[in-house]
Amino acid sequence: MSQTVKNLALAKAINESLRRALETDPKVLIMGEDVGKLGGVFRVTDGLQKDFGEDRVIDTPLAESGIVGTAIGLALRGYRPVVEIQFDGFVFPAYDQIVTQLAKMHARSLGKVRLPVVIRIPYGGGIGAVEHHSESPEALFAHVAGLKVVSPSNASDAYWMLQQAIQSDDPVIYFEPKRRYWDKGEVDTEAIPGPLHTARVVREGTDLTLAAYGPMVKLCREVADAAAEEGRSLEVLDLRSVSPLDFDTVQASVEKTGRLVVVHEAPVFFGSGAEIAARITERCFYHLEAPVLRVGGYHAPYPPARLEEEYLPDLDRVLDAVDRSLAY
Amino acid sequence: MTVESTAARKPRRSAGGKASTTGTKRTTRTTAKKGSETQLVQLLTPEGKRVKNAADAEYASYVDGITADELRALYRDMVLTRRFDAEATSLQRQGELGLWASLLGQEAAQIGSGRATREDDYVFPTYREHGVAWCRGVDPTNLLGMFRGVNNGGWDPNGNNFHLYTIVIGSQALHATGYAMGVAKDGADSAVIAYFGDGASSQGDVSEAFNFAAVYNAPVVFFCQNNQWAISESNEKQTRVPLYQRAQGFGFPGVRVDGNDVLASLAVTRWALERARRGEGPALIEAFTYRMGAHTTSDDPSRYRHDDERAAWEAKDPILRLRRHLEADGHADEAFFGELEAESETLGRRVREAVRAMPDPDRFAVFENVYADGHALVDEERAQFAAYQASFADSEGV
């Protein structure tokens, strides 16, 4: 392992990425509830205020619209705020500022102003949390022109995609898979990363493509392992970016395998899987051996923790979809 | 008057026997008016007389040395702004603009506060701050693009430190506060001013802005033009305390100024901006004024307010008041007023011609500036649109 390669938990990789951004660019600011002394409720910003001061790592009032609204003002002044929304379900008080202001201001100004604001949102279920702490609202943001939406699945991407998001002159919604915060992985802090919005083939296969992002990538790798024991060769894609979405990589994979199952935690109805299914059907109609299938949450409020295992896609539900696709 | 005494007094008044005979609405409005009369900073009466009130001496000191030239300049600003506004209203009636939000009656609040700003200050307006835009040097014809429907903005915000108009009520109060936080971080001594109306005071964003500004001691002035009506809803549907008193609960001063008095508006805004520049934090100014026209050209005020109300406010007209003062003190003669009249007509003609000459945007503008760094889907859809457009060109060419 070279000097620049570290074995880091995903949350720690984000922490180191934020540290690097604060060191590199004096205009980068961290803002949010409890991000300072506490280091965030998940400790993602641990130690940053101690080292960079209250002026760079800013504990804010408990007001999400205020956090995003003032971040917009700071960006207009030339700063690059990275704000933390404490949990997925708490982003909605800020949704107006994100949708009506942050997303549109570059276009409204005919390109004269830029809004390099990153909004970090720990998202998704699987940690036994209470209501409003386990949601996957990525489709609500991907639907809005002017926003970019990404979600890393591993420590290296968590580190590098955040660097790229902070350097982007566009607002980026950076969804952190909180159930993977403690998963360790190698991070090469000197490696030159690929483009932020390019999907990656994380496992090659020939019989069917599984496409996922964020927390579901790990599950899809496990599904591919299990399927391999049954003699099936599944290709696994880590989409990495929800908007823009790298349809070229998905298309190339589907043209090879002829089958596609999209997996995400968010409700299936009007979800990112629906968009992928529609576009891939347009692009690969004559290559498809089966309709594109989706595995995700139900059209129901996120359930209480004791029921979340029923609600979230798991190994068996994805394998069932694989069976259904292969049965065509 | 303290907040406590107001709060204690209110219920007894609204529960008073008179309410049953004269109607609750009227009683409440009378109460609000009384409060305003006792609290209003006024330096120029509706009759055009300079007021020397010991309680307002601190604010008055900010215009003590004002010259006749400067007074005439303020008058000119107000007259030209009103002329521009009237032209835009006419252009809407002629079908040249899709909508117009008139500032009629609010000239003094806007010119007074706008002229208090320094070049390096930054302004965050709503969609009615045509007079403030004028003070910032924004070409008034640029304000009309969004109302004509050729763009959603129309000027470079950094060109004159005048942000784009914001239509979602109160959002810009937070942008102003964040910008001011950045000014403080930069160690600059400029200030920021956020404009909004009485209706916006009900929005959470405005309260959040007050709180952020106070917590971070941001150099931002909140300038609320209380024009009495939020479309059809009167003040009593927005607040149970005079708006300027809100500031106290957030930990900074609030002042109610006669918004039809350009001199008082100038003085109080200078006071607030200068204390912000000195690092003394935010202030709230409630400019007590009146929207003499409709909310926008789509609105019909006759459905919700009486003509006598407008007539009462016309007697307090901000332009007439300063004219009386200029004439009484011999600061302006007929030649000045005549030249200004001619200048107004020239401005009106220029605006009219500029609007009619405004080209429709290029059809590909839909895809421009959606993202700074580009986006694959926008590129794909632009290409599809281009191919679709080209298909017509081919068929026409055959």
Side-chain angles (χ1 to χ4, degrees), chain A residues 27 29 55 58-61 63-67 69-70 72-74 76-77 79 96-97 100-101 105-114 144-148 168-170 243-244 279 283, chain B residues 124 146 151-158 163-166 168 171 174-175 177-179 181-183 185-186 188 190 205 208 211-212 215-216 368-377 380-381:
Chain A
K27 292 295 187 185
L29 305 170
D55 209 39
I58 304 164
D59 274 323
T60 64
E64 284 78 9
S65 190
I67 293 168
T70 53
I72 290 170
L74 281 157
L76 291 171
R77 180 70 190 180
Y79 286 86
D96 166 50
Q97 281 287 345
T100 69
Q101 306 299 320
M105 217 175 269
H106 179 68
R108 292 188 65 229
S109 73
L110 306 177
K112 300 292 187 192
V113 300
R114 297 190 166 195
V144 179
L147 303 176
K148 291 183 172 175
S168 169
D169 277 343
D170 287 313
S243 177
R279 287 198 183 251
R283 287 181 175 222
Chain B
F124 286 83
M146 66 184 289
N151 59 46
N152 289 323
W155 59 93
D156 177 359
N158 295 324
H163 190 67
L164 299 170
Y165 278 179
T166 299
V168 177
S171 292
L174 281 168
H175 309 159
T177 301
Y179 194 94
M181 289 162 65
V183 168
K185 282 181 188 305
D186 293 343
S190 50
D205 275 4
E208 292 190 22
N211 196 39
F212 272 68
V215 165
Y216 298 113
E368 296 304 316
N369 301 307
V370 184
Y371 294 88
D373 299 339
H375 189 288
L377 180 63
E380 185 182 323
E381 293 185 351

Side-chain angles (χ1 to χ4, degrees), chain B residues 207-222:
Chain B
S207 288
E208 292 190 22
F210 286 179
N211 196 39
F212 272 68
V215 165
Y216 298 113
N217 201 45
V220 57
V221 173
F222 297 108

Side-chain angles (χ1 to χ4, degrees), chain B residues 8-246:
Chain B
R9 216 179 53 216
K10 275 235 169 220
R12 284 204 298 275
R13 283 207 173 176
S14 58
K18 267 196 168 178
S20 57
T21 52
T22 59
T24 311
K25 191 174 176 180
R26 193 166 164 184
T27 307
T28 311
R29 289 197 63 76
T30 308
T31 306
K33 206 176 167 193
K34 271 193 177 166
S36 73
E37 279 167 2
T38 55
Q39 297 293 326
L40 211 59
V41 177
Q42 188 185 67
L43 304 182
L44 211 54
T45 67
E47 294 73 35
K49 292 204 173 66
R50 277 293 290 269
V51 184
K52 302 275 185 198
N53 186 339
D56 298 335
E58 189 190 352
Y59 308 114
S61 69
Y62 284 84
V63 292
D64 268 352
I66 196 157
T67 65
D69 271 354
E70 288 167 328
L71 286 172
R72 281 195 300 273
L74 291 170
Y75 183 79
R76 174 180 173 271
D77 286 337
M78 289 198 290
V79 167
L80 293 180
T81 299
R82 181 171 288 186
R83 182 66 184 82
F84 163 71
D85 185 73
E87 191 62 40
T89 301
S90 299
L91 285 164
Q92 194 281 333
R93 294 295 183 232
Q94 293 160 16
E96 300 286 352
L97 299 177
L99 185 78
W100 183 244
S102 168
L103 66 26
L104 186 63
Q106 298 177 224
E107 294 88 351
Q110 295 196 13
I111 298 301
S113 61
R115 284 296 174 204
T117 62
R118 220 167 59 181
E119 194 177 347
D120 59 334
D121 292 339
Y122 212 104
V123 176
F124 286 83
T126 67
Y127 44 79
R128 202 192 294 281
E129 266 66 76
H130 321 313
V132 185
W134 173 267
C135 295
R136 297 300 302 179
V138 176
D139 186 328
T141 62
N142 285 345
L143 304 175
L144 301 170
M146 66 184 289
F147 293 101
R148 188 169 170 83
V150 301
N151 59 46
N152 289 323
W155 59 93
D156 177 359
N158 295 324
N160 303 71
N161 282 11
F162 185 79
H163 190 67
L164 299 170
Y165 278 179
T166 299
I167 291 181
V168 177
I169 302 298
S171 292
Q172 75 283 1
L174 281 168
H175 309 159
T177 301
Y179 194 94
M181 289 162 65
V183 168
K185 282 181 188 305
D186 293 343
D189 74 339
S190 50
V192 180
I193 184 165
Y195 287 85
F196 52 89
D198 41 304
S201 72
S202 298
Q203 288 281 358
D205 275 4
V206 169
S207 288
E208 292 190 22
F210 286 179
N211 196 39
F212 272 68
V215 165
Y216 298 113
N217 201 45
V220 57
V221 173
F222 297 108
F223 196 91
C224 175
Q225 287 168 87
N226 179 355
N227 68 11
Q228 312 302 324
W229 294 94
I231 307 188
S232 70
E233 294 191 4
S234 64
N235 277 182
E236 67 206 61
K237 285 288 188 289
Q238 309 300 336
T239 184
R240 299 306 294 177
V241 297
L243 290 173
Y244 73 97
Q245 290 182 358
R246 294 259 180 105

Side-chain angles (χ1 to χ4, degrees), chain A residues 14 17-22 24-25 27-30 79-83 115-120 159-170 172 174 196, chain B residues 373:
Chain A
I14 296 171
S17 187
L18 290 170
R19 175 175 292 279
R20 178 175 177 151
L22 286 163
T24 310
D25 184 351
K27 292 295 187 185
V28 170
L29 305 170
I30 311 294
Y79 286 86
R80 304 185 89 88
V82 182
V83 310
L115 280 301
V117 177
V118 176
I119 300 178
R120 296 179 35 239
Y159 182 91
W160 280 113
M161 287 168 70
L162 184 55
Q163 288 294 308
Q164 293 168 314
I166 293 169
Q167 284 157 19
S168 169
D169 277 343
D170 287 313
V172 180
Y174 182 90
L196 176 58
Chain B
D373 299 339

